[in-house]
Amino acid sequence: MSSAWARFALLAALLLAGCEREKRVYSGQPATNPAGELYQENAYDVAQGKRLYTWMNCTGCHAHGGGGIGPALMDNRWIYGGKIQQIYRSIRDGRKNGMPAWKNRLTDQQIWQLAAYVRSMGRYVRKDVAPSRDDALNSGKAESRRERSAPLEPGR
Amino acid sequence: MRRVATIFLVSLLLTNAGSAADGEWPVASGSPQALRFSDLTEINTKNVARLKPSFTFNTGLHHGEESATLVVGSTMYFVTPFPNYLYALDLTKPGAPVKWKFDPHADPASQGEACCDTVNRGPAYADGKVVMNTLDGQTIAVDAATGKELWRAHLANIRIGETLTMAPMIAEDKVLVGNSGGEFGVRGWIAALNLKDGSMAWKAFHTGPDKDVLIGSDFHPFYPQDRGKNLGIKTWPADRWKQGGGNVWGWVSYDPQARLVIYGTGNPGPWNPDQRPGENKWTSGVFARDVDSGQARWFYQWSPHDLYDHDGINENILVDRDWKGSPRKLLLHPGRNGYLYVLDRTNGQVLSAKPFVYINSSFGVDLKSGKLIPNPAKHTQTGKTVYDICPTAAGAKDWEPSAYSPRTGFVYIPHANLCMDEEGVQASYIAGTPYVGAIVRQKPGHGGYRGAMTAWDVAGEKIKWDHHENMPVWSGALVTAGDVVFYGTLDGWFRALDARSGKLLWQYRTDSGIVGQPVAYKGPDGHEYIAILSGVGGWIGAVLTNRVDVRDSTGANGMASAVPDLPRRGKTGGRLYVFRLG
Amino acid sequence: MNWQSALDPHSANARHLADLFWFFTALCAAIWLLVVAALLRAIRHPGLAGEQDPPERQLRKSRIVGALTALTVLILVVFTAASFYTTRSFAWPDMNTLRIKVTGQQWWWQVEYRNHDASQVLTTANEIHIPVGRPVTLELHATDVIHSFWVPDLMGKQDLIPGRTNYLTLQADHAGVYRGQCAEFCGLEHARMAIWVFAQEPSAFEAWRRHALMPNTMPDGGAAAKGAYIFVHRQCASCHAINGSDAAGQTGPDLTHFGARATIAAGTLHNTAANLDRWLADPQAVKPGANMPKVDLSAPDRAALVAFLEGLK
């Protein structure tokens, strides 16, 4: 009997954990989040980042992670660092070799969401947080099905 | 009859001065008529197998070396990809040492605004000046003897995605320059600068009101769809012409007798056609303009309301030759949409348009109305994936220029054989970011080869021969009076074919892939030399130079799936090779 | 404004649908009454348990059952035929009439007036203006998920499906404002995805169309000019377009002539300066989950933006 209860409690805990995975905070998130961790652990933020990635023409240079005009984002080479805080800074302030600055074109929250999505392209986020499908023409394996791009950059 | 023919032939040789006097190569396409034909005969089909490297020169760079190597007097000039060094090599000394090197100090931010690698297609020479463009939007004239800067004109604004990659053309006393940026929603233009001091003589846009396009009372297009007031506004939804593209990043030809500048305009922006209903004038077409005033004389649109990024900027080869029994002033244009167009260059009438590759995106060109007949089944739209569109966004043939030999009457077309899947997505115009709105996946075309060198018989309106290549051919072509055709491959082979039969006569493996423009010249020692820059790059070469991750089939706008094998077949580099008979 | 109801038809097609509904309702009601009457009679005159019916009575019973079964089949056939013939006419859109492309997105409507003359192509959002007395063909698209277009006073509903085109014909008998909404659950803010149809006399419609086609003139001074600068140089222009300005974003609603619209955010708020200020201050408080983010703007900047947007008449 007690084992059935234990099973039920485990199931409930798992289900609740699932809720946490895509907990939606629409505008309550702190304006700047130096840690950025909240964003890359949240499936909703990563999904919003994926939407913005297409909307803001990121695909034009970085394709769907493979790159072209700009560097690939699904591999393990990070010119300006691959931590979410470093990616955030690359998007916000731009970089000298052509990456434009987005600080007046996106809100801080959106830049964090984008950075979180970029982290998911090389699967530097949890498998259950990474998007699992494309809504448009398939460019390859979904983010959640990709191998984690090893080696990880130092620090994380 | 025979006398008429002889007179015609003589006049043909006079007007077709395919290469400059004394085996020089003063502009990228060899001559204003853009034949890329050399009348040197020392190297021919019999002895070409004896070609050996005479000297090489390492640029130390790792991006696409698309520049032509100009030769004037005893000096060779060429421009590297970004940072756009202009080199002058002294051909009189053994090993051709650097005579001078000019650094324009281009802004590195321009690298992020160039759609298809940070290439430069070469300088131009006239009057003791070498004129070059820089990726960050400047046209600069340099003293040919000393390498000292004479003037510079800042023409393009990289903040909105405008760059300069084309080779300037010099016609009379004007330097003709056009902007790149069709993938960034840049409004296209061509400008004529005075060679003397770099001041602006005239500038014509390719969207917007007639006064901007320099359309006036002299404008007489052949077809009715190109006539009317302000079509550069009326064939667009409100305000969309402001980001409409129509850039001039390809080749400019010049007809000295008619004093006509003839050049093509690029694709409309964005690629997604749903966002720009209408014929989108004056994009994806060809203009003829008066060299002095810039006023348009005629226009023809290769791809009205372009659906596939089919720029109209490919070379226009100007030849005077027989057409169906009478001598005509012709324009030959192997189009991105897959047709070899023959136009009457005095008025823009289409005389012939036959496919030189497999095409399923259109059914042909109606010669009566001049209109391309699109295939509705391959019509791209927002939110819908259309499969197996041939040719692709890169076109049956991209920038790589063809050559024409008056001896054989064939056009030698280096090109690709690819197909694609495409889905349109909504694109926002955000200044300085790509304005494309399409997801593209390119793949090998029919027949198991991805590229070819094709000889097109102008009189017979058909393919004479095909030399298949495993990978798309992204280098220009050269044909000589010795009846040899030269071109290079992405995996580094520099090949010589028999111009009449297409038989492979000689080949040489260079360090990197070839996306350059082969050139023939007569050296100070009186011998014929063949020069080519090796250095993979361009849209397709970005797979290698920009380290595209080919797990993403849409990488480099779909090239990742067209040449996923490129990274293992070649390597980056930048080296000039000059060959002579050994 | 009219009451949003399929039973308050204002067009021939909606009337056919309403008639069909009443025909179904009336016939079903009559049958239900007959069944109830029969049931009551059976309760009042129960047969005796265990009693064996005489053979002629058995025969009569089976004849009645057979006849009623046949009648049921006949009624179903009539219903099928009626709905088939009523809706069949809707399935053939007239391609030579005014065509409007409607694209459903989370959670708003993009509206594009088609025209062979590209300069007459007009883009707006969340409002459709149509001339009365003539059919208008809607081309229905979606960019993200399935939506459904339903203006009950004028027509039945039709789905908008990503990757395909559906058609719907609208025609209004007389001028008026008709509310519609998304009729297929499409996510969090499904309930705040309304659309208004303004049916106008042809001359009024043509005047509206001509005016709407003109680019907005940019204010040259005061708070509105400051607002215009903010709009173009801050986050707004990344998603929104205003003809006449340098803003050309496409992923959010086109805001050309925004000041002349009735509502904000697809019918969420009435378009007043106070409501616009509230919306800009925090869209997520008004329509949580909408793709319009909260942009950090000072109160004076926001006031300037409101002055600019409300001035786009």
Side-chain angles (χ1 to χ4, degrees):
Chain A
M1 193 64 197
S2 68
S3 93
W5 276 111
R7 266 184 225 161
F8 178 75
L10 189 65
L11 185 65
L14 279 174
L15 285 173
L16 283 173
C19 296
E20 198 61 37
R21 168 185 167 269
E22 53 176 320
K23 184 181 173 193
R24 297 170 191 212
V25 181
Y26 301 119
S27 57
Q29 212 86 290
T32 50
N33 177 2
E37 308 298 327
L38 286 174
Y39 290 97
Q40 59 179 338
E41 285 166 9
N42 187 302
Y44 172 70
D45 284 321
V46 172
Q48 285 297 93
K50 179 165 176 144
R51 190 196 293 260
L52 288 168
Y53 185 83
T54 304
W55 282 8
M56 294 300 129
N57 301 331
C58 309
T59 44
C61 289
H62 301 286
H64 294 83
I69 299 173
L73 301 174
M74 68 201 290
D75 62 8
N76 55 13
R77 291 180 62 250
W78 294 98
I79 301 170
Y80 304 108
K83 288 188 199 164
I84 188 167
Q85 293 82 358
Q86 292 164 320
I87 297 170
Y88 165 84
R89 266 195 294 282
S90 292
I91 300 170
R92 190 188 62 185
D93 303 330
R95 297 287 182 183
K96 70 172 166 47
N97 286 329
M99 173 73 189
W102 289 87
K103 58 175 168 277
N104 281 325
R105 290 164 169 177
L106 290 174
T107 67
D108 216 48
Q109 182 183 26
Q110 288 176 314
I111 295 173
W112 279 116
Q113 288 173 334
L114 254 179
Y117 173 63
V118 169
R119 292 271 299 166
S120 82
M121 298 178 112
R123 259 268 283 117
Y124 291 112
V125 302
R126 288 201 330 255
K127 193 181 179 72
D128 64 337
V129 166
S132 50
R133 59 180 286 247
D134 281 324
D135 281 342
L137 187 152
N138 190 347
S139 60
K141 271 187 187 172
E143 291 84 347
S144 66
R145 290 178 56 231
R146 285 178 200 156
E147 296 297 313
R148 204 177 175 127
S149 285
L152 290 174
E153 80 283 14
R156 199 185 149 78
Chain B
M1 185 62 212
R2 200 157 157 200
R3 239 183 75 193
V4 174
T6 316
I7 291 168
F8 179 58
L9 260 176
V10 170
S11 70
L12 195 148
L13 284 173
L14 285 175
T15 56
N16 266 345
S19 63
D22 305 324
E24 291 190 336
W25 200 275
V27 287
S29 34
S31 65
Q33 292 87 351
L35 266 60
R36 292 181 185 272
F37 170 74
S38 167
D39 51 14
L40 300 176
T41 50
E42 186 189 351
I43 298 168
N44 55 45
T45 50
K46 303 268 185 314
N47 61 19
V48 65
R50 283 170 30 216
L51 275 187
K52 296 272 182 316
S54 167
F55 65 91
T56 72
F57 175 80
N58 191 351
T59 67
L61 297 170
H62 293 273
H63 282 275
E65 299 278 359
E66 288 190 357
S67 175
T69 49
L70 308 190
V71 175
V72 179
S74 55
T75 313
M76 173 182 284
Y77 306 93
F78 65 91
V79 184
T80 68
F82 181 88
N84 299 141
Y85 299 132
L86 170 61
Y87 280 103
L89 305 186
D90 185 350
L91 299 176
T92 56
K93 302 204 175 105
V98 174
K99 191 169 166 189
W100 49 259
K101 173 189 176 186
F102 174 76
D103 179 358
H105 299 291
D107 182 348
S110 57
Q111 296 170 91
E113 306 294 337
C115 78
C116 312
D117 200 7
T118 57
V119 297
N120 186 296
R121 303 195 174 87
Y125 176 94
D127 261 2
K129 300 182 180 76
V130 183
V131 184
M132 66 174 286
N133 288 326
T134 64
L135 193 65
D136 70 345
Q138 309 184 68
T139 301
I140 303 173
V142 171
D143 186 309
T146 62
K148 292 276 173 299
E149 180 176 325
L150 297 171
W151 51 259
R152 71 167 70 196
H154 211 122
L155 298 178
N157 174 13
I158 58 165
R159 303 284 156 228
I160 58 164
E162 233 177 351
T163 53
L164 298 180
T165 58
M166 54 94 76
M169 174 71 199
I170 299 177
E172 309 297 337
D173 57 347
K174 306 273 192 311
V175 181
L176 298 158
V177 177
N179 63 349
S180 308
E183 278 59 56
F184 288 77
V186 167
R187 192 181 168 204
W189 49 256
I190 186 170
L193 307 178
N194 292 306
L195 176 63
K196 181 164 49 81
D197 56 6
S199 60
M200 182 86 72
W202 50 264
K203 182 177 185 180
F205 286 92
H206 299 126
T207 67
D210 284 355
K211 68 173 171 44
D212 289 6
V213 188
L214 299 188
I215 284 178
S217 53
D218 290 345
F219 185 55
H220 300 294
F222 192 82
Y223 299 101
Q225 62 264 30
D226 301 318
R227 299 178 202 143
K229 279 254 171 299
N230 291 321
L231 295 184
I233 293 178
K234 286 182 187 160
T235 56
W236 294 85
D239 268 15
R240 291 291 85 84
W241 56 269
K242 292 179 182 169
Q243 298 97 32
N247 302 83
V248 185
W249 57 275
W251 306 106
V252 180
S253 305
Y254 180 61
D255 181 341
Q257 279 148 356
R259 296 179 76 85
L260 280 186
V261 176
I262 298 178
Y263 65 93
T265 58
N267 61 289
W271 290 10
N272 182 352
D274 282 359
Q275 288 182 230
R276 45 172 175 81
E279 287 191 343
N280 309 135
K281 301 234 184 301
W282 306 90
T283 65
S284 290
V286 53
F287 264 115
R289 292 183 183 277
D290 180 79
V291 69
D292 300 303
S293 65
Q295 286 291 319
R297 290 285 181 75
W298 56 259
F299 172 85
Y300 170 72
Q301 199 167 23
W302 315 115
S303 297
H305 185 60
D306 163 51
L307 302 173
Y308 312 106
D309 179 35
H310 283 171
D311 296 80
I313 58 83
N314 287 357
E315 64 283 2
N316 297 298
I317 304 170
L318 313 183
V319 295
D320 296 355
R321 58 162 286 160
D322 172 84
W323 179 257
K324 310 226 162 155
S326 52
R328 294 285 288 260
K329 288 178 177 299
L330 300 181
L331 179 161
L332 309 175
H333 174 90
R336 193 130 153 171
N337 58 16
Y339 297 96
L340 189 294
Y341 288 87
V342 180
L343 265 61
D344 179 334
R345 74 170 184 272
T346 61
N347 61 9
Q349 183 191 4
V350 181
L351 304 175
S352 166
K354 297 264 171 70
F356 62 88
V357 291
Y358 173 76
I359 300 175
N360 66 16
S361 58
S362 59
F363 296 125
V365 177
D366 176 20
L367 293 186
K368 199 151 176 276
S369 67
K371 287 183 180 168
L372 183 73
I373 308 160
N375 176 2
K378 301 294 177 188
H379 193 125
T380 57
Q381 69 175 67
T382 307
K384 183 177 172 185
T385 304
V386 180
Y387 294 91
D388 301 315
I389 304 168
C390 317
T392 69
K397 177 184 161 300
D398 197 83
W399 79 284
E400 60 278 4
S402 316
Y404 172 82
S405 167
R407 288 169 53 84
T408 59
F410 300 161
V411 187
Y412 300 94
I413 312 169
H415 64 93
N417 178 37
L418 301 172
C419 297
M420 68 170 174
D421 306 331
E422 177 170 339
E423 175 171 353
V425 291
Q426 269 174 325
S428 282
Y429 175 74
I430 303 171
T433 70
Y435 185 48
V436 174
I439 308 174
V440 173
R441 190 167 56 198
Q442 308 197 36
K443 50 196 182 184
H446 300 261
Y449 60 99
R450 288 176 287 181
M453 168 58 80
T454 292
W456 181 270
D457 176 2
V458 174
E461 299 177 75
K462 63 176 195 297
I463 291 172
K464 194 68 187 180
W465 51 257
D466 253 337
H467 186 86
H468 292 175
E469 290 286 352
N470 178 15
M471 284 201 281
V473 181
W474 223 257
S475 101
L478 163 73
V479 60
T480 71
D483 284 344
V484 185
V485 179
F486 292 94
Y487 71 100
T489 69
L490 283 176
D491 51 359
W493 286 102
F494 188 50
R495 300 206 213 274
L497 305 185
D498 184 319
R500 294 187 189 277
S501 68
K503 196 175 146 236
L504 179 65
L505 301 174
W506 169 84
Q507 57 184 349
Y508 181 89
R509 180 73 185 257
T510 64
D511 268 4
S512 179
I514 296 175
V515 298
Q517 304 167 48
V519 156
Y521 68 91
K522 191 194 276 182
D525 60 359
H527 286 294
E528 181 180 355
Y529 289 82
I530 307 288
I532 182 72
L533 276 160
S534 167
V536 74
W539 179 358
I540 198 161
V543 172
L544 190 51
T545 59
N546 292 7
R547 302 207 203 188
V548 166
D549 193 319
V550 298
R551 286 178 294 167
D552 172 5
S553 59
T554 66
N557 267 320
M559 283 302 178
S561 42
V563 288
D565 51 339
L566 184 58
R568 71 177 159 78
R569 282 181 192 276
K571 64 181 200 317
T572 61
R575 186 182 286 275
L576 168 74
Y577 289 82
V578 177
F579 301 91
R580 58 164 289 178
L581 292 178
Chain C
M1 193 196 294
N2 291 278
W3 186 34
Q4 181 184 326
S5 167
L7 301 181
D8 180 21
H10 290 270
S11 75
N13 284 343
R15 216 157 22 247
H16 292 320
L17 286 173
D19 290 349
L20 188 67
F21 172 82
W22 286 121
F23 171 62
F24 268 57
T25 309
L27 200 54
C28 289
I31 292 166
W32 182 76
L33 288 174
L34 285 175
V35 170
V36 168
L39 203 64
L40 288 176
R41 186 178 168 276
I43 291 169
R44 199 170 287 176
H45 305 287
L48 290 175
E51 189 182 346
Q52 188 70 34
D53 274 340
E56 68 276 10
R57 198 176 149 82
Q58 274 187 14
L59 186 66
R60 223 179 98 219
K61 266 190 178 171
S62 23
R63 273 189 186 154
I64 288 172
V65 169
L68 287 177
T69 308
L71 189 61
T72 307
V73 169
L74 183 67
I75 289 168
L76 287 177
V77 168
V78 166
F79 277 175
T80 307
S83 68
F84 175 74
Y85 281 105
T86 306
T87 53
R88 188 178 67 153
S89 61
F90 306 162
W92 305 106
D94 180 354
M95 290 302 178
N96 297 315
T97 182
L98 176 62
R99 278 166 66 191
I100 305 174
K101 179 179 168 187
V102 177
T103 309
Q105 318 204 17
Q106 286 174 323
W107 292 275
W108 60 281
W109 308 86
Q110 187 186 49
V111 179
E112 180 187 306
Y113 288 73
R114 298 268 202 188
N115 203 305
H116 288 301
D117 178 352
S119 64
Q120 302 294 303
V121 171
L122 165 62
T123 305
T124 179
N126 300 327
E127 284 181 5
I128 302 178
H129 289 247
I130 61 169
V132 298
R134 62 181 267 211
V136 174
T137 298
L138 303 188
E139 269 179 45
L140 305 176
H141 297 259
T143 55
D144 37 38
V145 298
I146 298 176
H147 302 273
S148 187
F149 181 93
W150 193 30
V151 181
D153 291 17
L154 299 180
M155 188 53 180
K157 58 183 95 156
Q158 182 68 269
D159 282 359
L160 300 85
I161 299 169
R164 59 167 292 148
T165 309
N166 283 341
Y167 295 94
L168 189 71
T169 306
L170 281 190
Q171 178 168 347
D173 290 348
H174 34 257
V177 183
Y178 306 95
R179 188 180 190 274
Q181 64 185 65
C182 180
E184 176 74 41
F185 181 73
C186 59
L188 201 64
E189 293 298 339
H190 166 63
R192 292 191 187 92
M193 186 170 164
I195 189 163
W196 265 265
V197 176
F198 293 82
Q200 296 170 298
E201 293 303 329
S203 59
F205 168 75
E206 188 54 26
W208 170 84
R209 194 185 71 86
R210 284 183 183 285
H211 180 71
L213 266 173
M214 300 214 300
N216 277 124
T217 41
M218 289 299 110
D220 50 11
K226 184 183 168 197
Y229 182 87
I230 293 168
F231 192 91
V232 172
H233 292 94
R234 293 294 302 271
Q235 283 82 346
C236 320
S238 299
C239 298
H240 298 286
I242 294 175
N243 292 341
S245 81
D246 286 337
Q250 298 293 320
T251 47
D254 187 304
L255 298 180
T256 313
H257 298 287
F258 169 79
R261 290 194 201 146
T263 68
I264 300 167
T268 308
L269 297 170
H270 287 291
N271 189 1
T272 63
N275 278 340
L276 183 59
D277 187 72
R278 190 182 145 205
W279 171 247
L280 293 177
D282 189 359
Q284 300 300 323
V286 178
K287 196 169 174 178
N291 287 308
M292 167 98 169
K294 178 185 176 180
V295 180
D296 280 323
L297 289 171
S298 67
D301 281 0
R302 212 164 59 229
L305 205 48
V306 170
F308 167 60
L309 289 170
E310 292 297 340
L312 300 174
K313 297 290 186 191

